Amino acid sequence: MIPSLLAHNTRLQTIGWRLARANGPLCRNAVGGAGLMLSDLGKLDRPAEARSVLGIGGNLAVVAVAPGTPAQQAGIGAGEHLVAVDGVATADPASAYDRMDAALTARGSATVTLAAPRSAPRSVRIAGETACRGRFQLLVGNKSAQTDGRNILVSVELLSERPQDEEAAFMIAHELAHVALEHRRRLDEGTRNYVTIR
């Protein structure tokens, strides 16, 4: 099951990164991006089993790295455990993403410390690329595509129903547009409403 999920993660991150990077110059909320996907294994039903399959000692795992991204160019691979960003220990994806986004946007680079399966930690420098803000995440058991204004969540079921990348990209781009246009913030502020047309 886990190898299958990793394949879906890679596909989602690859399509999402291409969209986010291509539209970076058009996004008001663009950031420096790295092109990797993080997941908190501690939130899975069987975290110990997931760590064992991946061969890592921590819960904060790199579960996907899109081809040609700054993360891949830095030598980061799926299955590594993220230990720290710029020397500060990270325990959850949100804080790790926030710290990377801030460093890549402000300085153009970040240093991340990782531990590969059964290896000592190592530090690598990532040079970010401008991309629309958006963190891609795979959903399991909830057939939907949605966003909370920052995280773009797409279910395994929907990805599986769209084997052509062009079809999947259309669905992912729709959710990325909500993020780029800051619809969540505008909804919260009352400056945007969803209207049902009958």
Side-chain angles (χ1 to χ4, degrees):
M1 179 65 173
I2 289 177
S4 173
L5 291 179
L6 290 176
H8 285 299
N9 279 326
T10 299
R11 183 174 180 230
L12 173 58
Q13 181 62 36
T14 298
I15 296 170
W17 170 256
R18 288 176 183 161
L19 291 166
R21 184 175 175 272
N23 289 287
L26 306 175
C27 291
R28 288 180 297 179
N29 58 359
V31 295
L36 55 78
M37 182 189 295
L38 301 172
S39 183
D40 184 350
L41 302 183
K43 293 187 176 179
L44 298 178
D45 290 338
R46 298 191 298 270
E49 181 180 333
R51 288 192 299 270
S52 175
V53 168
L54 293 173
I56 65 174
N59 285 330
L60 187 53
V62 177
V63 292
V65 177
T69 58
Q72 186 192 53
Q73 292 166 9
I76 299 171
E80 294 192 84
H81 168 213
L82 183 62
V83 178
V85 178
D86 286 336
V88 178
T90 54
D92 63 273
S95 62
Y97 281 130
D98 286 345
R99 190 166 293 282
M100 276 193 290
D101 286 354
L104 294 173
T105 303
R107 299 193 317 266
S109 68
T111 299
V112 295
T113 304
L114 306 115
R118 292 172 270 286
S119 299
R122 65 191 177 94
S123 292
V124 297
R125 181 180 169 275
I126 303 173
E129 292 185 40
T130 301
C132 291
R133 183 186 302 274
R135 300 164 181 178
F136 301 97
Q137 184 178 338
L138 194 67
L139 286 175
V140 179
N142 179 0
K143 189 175 179 180
S144 67
Q146 56 190 284
T147 181
D148 59 9
R150 177 167 288 187
N151 299 294
I152 296 165
L153 304 98
V154 181
S155 70
V156 172
E157 294 81 4
L158 284 182
L159 281 176
S160 298
E161 287 178 359
R162 289 156 179 82
Q164 300 299 317
D165 284 353
E166 292 81 2
E167 293 180 347
F170 184 84
M171 172 180 61
I172 296 165
H174 175 91
E175 300 306 325
L176 182 62
H178 285 304
V179 175
L181 295 172
E182 301 181 317
H183 286 169
R184 179 74 262 168
R185 178 186 60 77
R186 293 165 62 193
L187 279 171
D188 292 343
E189 292 174 352
T191 58
R192 176 179 175 83
N193 294 307
Y194 285 117
V195 177
T196 302
I197 300 174
R198 298 180 188 273

